[in-house]
Amino acid sequence: MLYGIVAAIAALLLTAALAALLRMFALRFGVVERRRLRVVPLLGGVAVVGGTALVAGAGEWTEVAPLGADAGRLLVAGIGVALLGLVADLRAVPLAVQVGGVGVAAALTVPYGELGLLGGVLGVAWIVFVTFAFVSLDHADGVMGTVGVVTAFALSGCAAAEVMDGTAALLSVLAAALTGFLMQGRPPARIVPGRCGALFAGFVLAGAAVVVHGGRETGSGVAALFSLTAVGLVDLALAARGPGGHLAHRLRRGGLTPRGVMVVIGAAAFGGALVGLLIDLGWVGPSAAWWVAGVVAVVVLVGGVGPGSRPRRPYPFPSPGGSAPRPPNARRARPQTPDGLKIPPPDRLRIHSRTG
């Protein structure tokens, strides 16, 4: 108990400090991402990975809280996926390569002994799907981190109920690390996790969910898995319609502020995670997941008939097809970080623009 409290505090403070340091590093070397008219530093995912790996590794090394084979393998594979995401943040990496890398990592962590060959293949596909659902959530400040914190806490309760202490400890440390990151990543974000952080968080959560529910009955296991990841599934389904289809973007067009979007999506993730945890604990039956499925269906259907996207305002940097039109004698606006810090000139920036 005492170690869990100390580990959570250490992961939170370490990740927050690393995020602040990496923010300055990213601004210094121009590793930034464009979000509307703002320029935000990338590399926040490195802070999440570093805080999680250092604290969890310290528990394993000192044998105070050994991770065990399953959690240790999951952490190592997650670090590998995070490295792939870091490369994607710095250089263009084809989506097929990213999917393939996550699939290979998932294949190394799925418990085939409990799931069987067919179940293992389905588990790999599900891990890949949920991992990229978390990437999809990272299109608005603080959303991915908030959903990750809620999901990690719920899954740690599921793992503790199954007496998987190592997996529960890893998930608790991840939840604390994401909370520390939100100190810098809440709206307006001073730094964003990028593919590195989104892939790492999504992969560890999805892999842990498969490991925890691998030995359960099919009905309750599938119901709990679906409920725990319902928000990510909704966002991925809406984003499939094209740019501007993400759940956060639709809520913004509905009039919510960025912080309001984070709170609403976090509350939705809490509702789904709570249902999944109750199913896992046996306090409610698998049929409770139908309520979550009904809400998901309504949101997807209502979102599917709504407007897909709205025209973007011209961005002050030249686009690949030429400069954006602007009124005569108008001064060119310089993009600003949330706190007004100076950033390198446009020719020194590695700007990563997301569609959606």
Side-chain angles (χ1 to χ4, degrees):
M1 180 66 179
L2 179 61
Y3 171 79
I5 297 174
V6 173
I9 295 174
L12 187 150
L13 296 179
L14 179 60
T15 304
L18 285 174
L21 291 174
L22 288 167
R23 178 179 184 272
M24 293 186 294
F25 180 86
L27 287 173
R28 173 65 179 81
F29 292 96
V31 185
V32 297
E33 179 181 85
R34 184 180 72 189
R35 290 195 173 182
R36 296 185 180 274
L37 290 180
R38 292 192 302 122
V39 170
V40 289
L42 283 168
L43 304 182
V46 178
V48 176
V49 177
T52 303
L54 289 175
V55 175
E60 173 70 21
W61 181 63
T62 59
E63 297 185 353
V64 175
L67 296 177
D70 291 336
R73 186 165 52 247
L74 184 62
L75 177 60
V76 172
I79 293 174
V81 169
L83 291 175
L84 175 62
L86 180 60
V87 174
D89 285 334
L90 300 176
R91 293 287 185 270
V93 177
L95 181 60
V97 175
Q98 299 179 44
V99 173
V102 175
V104 171
L108 298 175
T109 59
V110 168
Y112 295 97
E114 298 177 352
L115 296 175
L117 181 58
L118 179 59
V121 172
L122 294 176
V124 169
W126 189 85
I127 291 175
V128 172
F129 190 76
V130 172
T131 299
F132 282 92
F134 272 80
V135 175
S136 178
L137 287 170
D138 187 35
H139 279 76
D141 297 346
V143 171
M144 190 281 296
T146 302
V147 175
V149 170
V150 172
T151 307
F153 272 124
L155 273 173
S156 65
C158 296
E162 297 291 333
V163 198
M164 297 181 175
D165 296 335
T167 303
L170 175 61
L171 291 168
S172 298
V173 170
L174 175 60
L178 289 171
T179 303
F181 172 76
L182 285 175
M183 296 173 67
Q184 299 285 335
R186 67 183 185 275
R190 293 163 54 84
I191 189 170
V192 294
R195 293 255 166 175
C196 176
L199 286 176
F200 175 77
F203 179 84
V204 172
L205 292 173
V210 170
V211 170
V212 170
H213 296 91
R216 297 183 61 86
E217 296 180 359
T218 303
S220 60
V222 172
L225 288 175
F226 171 77
S227 300
L228 287 164
T229 58
V231 170
L233 301 178
V234 168
D235 189 77
L236 205 58
L238 292 176
R241 296 188 64 235
H246 294 279
L247 180 60
H249 295 170
R250 294 177 180 277
L251 292 175
R252 287 285 285 133
R253 290 196 292 274
L256 290 181
T257 64
R259 292 194 178 187
V261 169
M262 185 182 73
V263 171
V264 169
I265 295 180
F270 175 80
L274 179 61
V275 173
L277 177 60
L278 294 178
I279 292 174
D280 191 82
L281 296 176
W283 293 0
V284 298
S287 59
W290 286 110
W291 291 97
V292 180
V295 174
V296 168
V298 169
V299 172
V300 172
L301 290 175
V302 172
V305 299
S309 62
R310 62 181 178 184
R312 293 178 179 268
R313 289 179 290 176
Y315 188 67
F317 288 163
S319 63
S323 300
R326 54 178 179 155
N329 302 323
R331 297 184 62 183
R332 183 183 296 273
R334 290 292 301 275
Q336 297 289 329
T337 57
D339 51 3
L341 288 182
K342 294 182 179 180
I343 59 175
D347 58 349
R348 289 178 53 195
L349 291 177
R350 302 188 186 95
I351 298 180
H352 298 254
S353 177
R354 296 197 180 194
T355 58

